[in-house]
Amino acid sequence: MDNSSGVGVLDKAATVLGALEAGPATLAQLVSATHLARPTAHRLAVALEHHRLVARDMQGRFVLGPRLAELASAAGEDRLLAAATPVLTALRDHTNESAQLYRRQGDQRICVAAAERPMGLRDSIPVGATLSMLAGSAAQVLLAWEEPDRLHRGLHGANFTATMLSAVRRRGWSQSVAEREPGVASVSAPVRGPSGRVLAAVSISGPIERMGRQPGRLHAAAVVAAANRLTEVLKRTEEG
């Protein structure tokens, strides 16, 4: 069977990833497994490492990288979205505030599902809206459980600090008051995949006049419960 796609560099990169499927490999082992020239194997492995498709273990051997797990998680997003609407609707009805589900995409976060308040002040965030990862309670949640190096990179220019993210990890939810937008408060909690990785953030947002300067006191329990329901859905889907 011909595995050639006609795009040589992609075929070679796929060969490198395929070889690493068997486990960690030194450069010499990679050359042996792929039959690529040593400089080519090295150049491709380092390029794939740049894109986090390949990483290094403690011995400096090449291994499959974290980006592959992230892509696999994203492939399960349809399950998450199918479950999100009833959960967000129930959260909105319980809190009387707009509810959203966010996923991280690079240096931004995207609203992938929402349940709006039918009336009153509409600080609505439409599905598909792209927001900053530098401010807001959902950004805090999506960053707080990242690997240390990514977390510290994400703090550059952010409106929150490492100490604040430590508090988010400790209590399991975040809040923000006029951090992303004047007059708006929000509360967020993490949705986790079967491996425990944070895949998304459930949030509610509304005017400070209604939610107060400590919106978590009012709403953290409800937001955490909604996020946990989505975590359970993903766990059941994986087991099923």
Side-chain angles (χ1 to χ4, degrees):
M1 183 176 150
D2 183 12
N3 286 327
S4 171
S5 69
V7 182
V9 69
L10 274 184
D11 291 340
K12 289 171 183 171
T15 303
V16 169
L17 292 173
L20 294 178
E21 190 178 0
T26 63
L27 179 57
Q29 289 166 334
L30 209 50
V31 169
S32 173
T34 61
H35 306 295
L36 294 169
R38 187 183 177 91
T40 303
H42 183 259
R43 189 172 69 249
L44 285 171
V46 169
L48 289 166
E49 186 181 10
H50 175 78
H51 289 287
R52 300 176 60 249
L53 293 163
V54 165
R56 309 273 186 129
D57 67 6
M58 298 297 281
Q59 286 80 47
R61 298 175 298 181
F62 294 105
V63 294
L64 292 174
R67 184 72 185 127
L68 294 166
E70 293 166 16
L71 292 170
S73 295
E77 185 174 314
D78 55 346
R79 298 197 302 269
L80 183 58
L81 294 186
T85 300
V87 170
L88 293 180
T89 301
L91 179 61
R92 176 200 63 194
D93 294 347
H94 181 77
T95 62
N96 203 28
E97 302 295 352
S98 298
Q100 304 89 27
L101 180 71
Y102 293 99
R103 285 185 65 105
R104 182 172 184 176
Q105 197 170 81
D107 294 332
Q108 297 173 315
R109 56 185 165 105
I110 295 176
C111 178
V112 294
E116 294 297 341
R117 294 181 80 240
M119 54 189 291
L121 175 62
R122 285 174 60 86
D123 39 82
S124 73
I125 297 160
V127 171
T130 301
L131 279 69
S132 167
M133 277 294 295
L134 299 176
S137 63
Q140 294 177 31
V141 160
L142 291 170
L143 190 59
W145 284 273
E146 279 284 13
E147 302 145 12
D149 58 332
R150 290 195 87 197
L151 188 152
H152 287 295
R153 279 203 304 276
L155 284 170
H156 291 309
N159 288 3
F160 42 80
T161 64
T163 303
M164 289 166 70
L165 294 188
S166 177
V168 169
R169 286 192 298 276
R170 190 168 61 247
R171 67 183 180 228
W173 54 270
S174 64
Q175 64 181 4
S176 70
V177 177
E179 187 177 283
R180 182 184 62 81
E181 192 176 327
V184 175
S186 68
V187 181
S188 299
V191 177
R192 297 177 182 276
S195 68
R197 178 179 173 79
V198 174
L199 298 185
V202 169
S203 301
I204 59 166
S205 60
I208 294 172
E209 301 88 77
R210 220 171 31 230
M211 291 183 67
R213 308 296 303 187
Q214 292 286 335
R217 284 183 186 163
L218 275 178
H219 298 304
V223 176
V224 168
N228 287 347
R229 276 198 291 279
L230 289 177
T231 295
E232 284 302 313
V233 165
L234 290 177
K235 198 178 291 180
R236 283 201 306 274
T237 311
E238 187 77 7
E239 288 165 357

